[in-house]
Amino acid sequence: MENPDHPTPDLPGAPIGFVEFVALVAALMALGALGTDAMLPALPAIGEALGVADENRRQFVVSAFLGGFGVAHLVHGPLVDRFGRRRVLLWAITGYVVASSAAAVAGSFTLLIAARLAGGATVAATRIATIALVRDCYHGRAMARVMSIAFMVFMIVPILAPSVGQLVLLFGNWRAIFWVMAGSAAALLVWVTIRLPETLRPEAALPIAAGRIMAGWRTSLTDRQSVGYTAAATLLTGALYGYLNSIQQIMFDVYHRPALLAAVFAGTAATMAAANLLNARFVMRLGTRRIAHGAVVVLAIVSGFHLLLAETGQDSLIAFGVLQALTMACFGLATSNFSAMAMANMGAIAGTASSVQGFISITAGVLIGAVIGQAFDGTTVPMIAGFMVVGILSLGAIALTERGRLFDA
């Protein structure tokens, strides 16, 4: 049996220094988050500049990016398994620089949405390649630990991104935010080019063939653990995207405190980072299941209590910030472990499996998030109810996956 504290003999560990490896993984993960979160303060300005009066319609600036991000997973997975993690990353990040630049000069809302779709589609490779390269080097609890540490570092971007967006708006218009995104991607491209070696062994490369790809999809979609934890992650991801779609309008229209958008967003992101720090510290001892299952239970309970406050008119900005922060902490604990558990049996097809799981969780999550976001009615109820419902459904998916045996190590 594998020692959970160390990689198995055929897993080499980090190909560069461990600290740099985690930082690079976190930076790759953060590229997509920057593309989403930095835009939130600019949505009113984008709507005004491009003639989009309907506030709910402005959410498509976020949803289009996430939609392209999810759908493209099916393309990038086989490429990552055939050509390697490094080569696909280099081409994808280059494409993201081009797409972000196109968004910066878009002359209409339609062209902006097209550029956002392209940006999401290219940056999707960073998620697939990142999970695959970590899986190349680590497995099981060790992989969960690495992902938790990386996720903790990565959360610096969601904490800072809305503030970065607001800061850019002080000195320029919304187009400058896209130039900042393009510049950040270009810097990361240089880092990957200089420092990241290939982690896919030549003999492990898989051909791009319809039969092989279909077999990989079939393996991913028939493995009980892969399917079950992907479903659970999908539901929680949908609630997260509902939050991203709604938070700008909640701060502007419900609480009438637009200046505090970055602070509230940072608070929720900070608790997610802290949760992942705790996960990295205790997952080797407690196990992924105990932590993830417990986190989903607490998420559903906290969301239910929050919904009760909102329905009875007892909610306030402080209560919203505190309870949403607790909810996001549970989200972070659950999803970082879901990824490791879903990939546990997928080592031989890491890229393809990651692409299938990512396509399902992100694409379906975007749809769930869009439903939650479009249900915005001038209150916090639709978003909070969304978290409670998906928490309960996610727990049900876990129970089915584990045949009712929850919290096992």
Side-chain angles (χ1 to χ4, degrees), residues 13-263:
I16 53 180
F18 182 79
V19 172
E20 183 182 5
F21 179 70
V22 171
L24 182 54
V25 167
L28 289 167
M29 294 168 59
L31 197 59
L34 180 64
T36 304
D37 303 337
M39 299 310 306
L40 296 177
L43 293 182
I46 291 173
E48 182 178 350
L50 299 181
V52 182
D54 185 349
E55 291 188 4
N56 281 7
R57 188 171 169 233
R58 297 172 189 172
Q59 295 177 11
F60 293 131
V61 174
V62 176
S63 297
F65 183 84
L66 295 173
F69 187 82
V71 172
H73 274 62
L74 292 181
V75 176
H76 292 305
L79 295 177
V80 163
D81 280 341
R82 169 62 182 87
F83 297 107
R85 320 326 186 189
R86 183 177 185 275
R87 187 183 303 180
V88 173
L89 279 172
L90 293 177
W91 281 105
I93 297 173
T94 300
Y96 184 63
V97 172
V98 173
S100 297
S101 301
V105 298
S108 70
F109 192 68
T110 299
L111 291 176
L112 175 62
I113 294 301
R116 292 288 283 169
L117 277 168
T122 52
V123 82
T126 60
R127 179 187 183 276
I128 299 165
T130 295
I131 294 177
L133 71 88
V134 174
R135 182 60 183 81
D136 288 342
C137 305
Y138 299 97
H139 178 62
R141 296 185 185 183
M143 179 181 176
R145 177 174 178 267
V146 171
M147 292 300 291
S148 291
I149 297 173
F151 196 80
M152 179 189 65
V153 178
F154 144 77
M155 284 308 301
I156 294 173
V157 170
I159 289 172
L160 297 179
S163 296
V164 170
Q166 286 186 334
L167 182 63
V168 172
L169 290 175
L170 291 177
F171 299 97
N173 60 21
W174 58 269
R175 297 181 186 276
I177 297 177
F178 287 110
W179 289 121
V180 170
M181 290 159 51
S184 300
L188 182 57
L189 180 63
V190 173
W191 189 2
V192 171
T193 300
I194 295 174
R195 294 294 298 159
L196 182 66
E198 181 55 62
T199 59
L200 178 67
R201 299 188 303 271
E203 66 274 15
L206 301 175
I208 297 179
R212 199 277 302 170
I213 294 173
M214 292 299 293
W217 290 356
R218 185 166 53 252
T219 298
S220 301
L221 296 174
T222 55
D223 180 85
R224 188 181 190 91
Q225 190 158 313
S226 172
V227 172
Y229 283 107
T230 297
T234 298
L235 291 161
L236 295 188
T237 299
L240 174 66
Y241 291 163
Y243 171 81
L244 293 176
N245 284 329
S246 305
I247 186 61
Q248 181 267 321
Q249 288 169 267
I250 287 175
M251 294 305 300
F252 279 57
D253 300 335
V254 177
Y255 296 117
H256 308 290
R257 301 295 296 273
L260 293 181
L261 170 62

Side-chain angles (χ1 to χ4, degrees), residues 278-293:
L278 291 175
N279 188 64
R281 184 178 181 86
F282 293 108
V283 69
M284 303 295 284
R285 184 187 312 167
L286 300 177
T288 53
R289 285 171 173 78
R290 286 175 181 166
I291 294 175
H293 298 176

Side-chain angles (χ1 to χ4, degrees), residues 295-306:
V296 175
V297 171
V298 175
L299 182 148
I301 293 173
V302 171
S303 297
F305 175 69
H306 196 182

